[in-house]
Amino acid sequence: MTVLDLGSGPGRDARALAGPGVRVRAIDHSPLAIARGRAVPGLPAELEFEEADLLSAVAATGTASIDAVYAHVVYMVFSDAELDRLAREIARVLRPGGVHLFAVRSTSDPIAAEGREVAPDVRIRPPDTEPLRYFRAGTLDRLRAPGLERVAAEETPDRRVWYVSDRRT
Ligand SMILES: C[S@@+](CC[C@H](N)C(=O)[O-])C[C@H]1O[C@@H](n2cnc3c(N)ncnc32)[C@H](O)[C@@H]1O
């Protein structure tokens, strides 16, 4: 099977996922993260790092060619339009039965009340300069493009993070 790890950072999760029968494309636009990932000794042969914008990388991926798309705490940086585009592209690249597994920060997280709100649920918390979106149940639906059905959406017991799984119909 082929897995996309979107916003993989240095590939902690990608290393755990890759192995016999599971090829993982770990995609991140940070040259530092990719360099750190590639420098780890003993990487599985099935793991490849790609320094790229994840939206462009998914858009350049073949239709129905991917078994799982995974993104751990990444989608908070995207605008409404980018989330809509990403969800459509993920639905396109997944094979029927393929899964989209993602984690995003929740509006229930106490830090989601800090800083300055620049759009609904989008805040800049000093010293950060980049706005970050916090997700509520309704916002998670943005990522359920036509062709994707929701399997589960659960907050962690401390209610800081949502873990969501969708399946390609
Ligand atoms: C909070 S880190 C999470 C890293 C990793 N998934 C983890 O859980 O350890 C978010 C990552 O997303 C990457 N990222 C953000 N926007 C991106 C984009 N448009 N294209 C590729 N990577 C992106 C950042 O460089 C960063 O490594």
Side-chain angles (χ1 to χ4, degrees), residues 4-101:
L4 303 183
D5 182 356
L6 304 181
S8 62
R12 175 199 58 196
D13 295 344
R15 285 197 302 278
L17 291 167
V22 184
R23 172 178 170 250
V24 178
R25 293 171 52 197
I27 300 165
D28 203 289
H29 65 179
S30 160
L32 183 63
I34 294 294
R36 281 176 51 203
R38 285 184 174 138
V40 172
L43 290 176
E46 297 83 359
L47 172 57
E48 62 188 83
F49 284 97
E50 297 175 24
E51 183 187 321
D53 169 57
L54 70 87
L55 292 161
S56 308
V58 177
T61 295
T63 298
S65 64
I66 300 296
D67 298 281
V69 176
Y70 174 86
H72 187 253
V73 200
V74 177
Y75 296 159
M76 295 83 56
V77 294
F78 293 125
S79 67
D80 288 354
E82 288 170 330
L83 287 179
D84 292 347
R85 194 177 121 215
L86 180 64
R88 280 196 308 274
E89 286 297 316
I90 288 172
R92 182 185 63 77
V93 301
L94 281 174
R95 294 197 173 100
V99 289
H100 179 204
L101 309 171

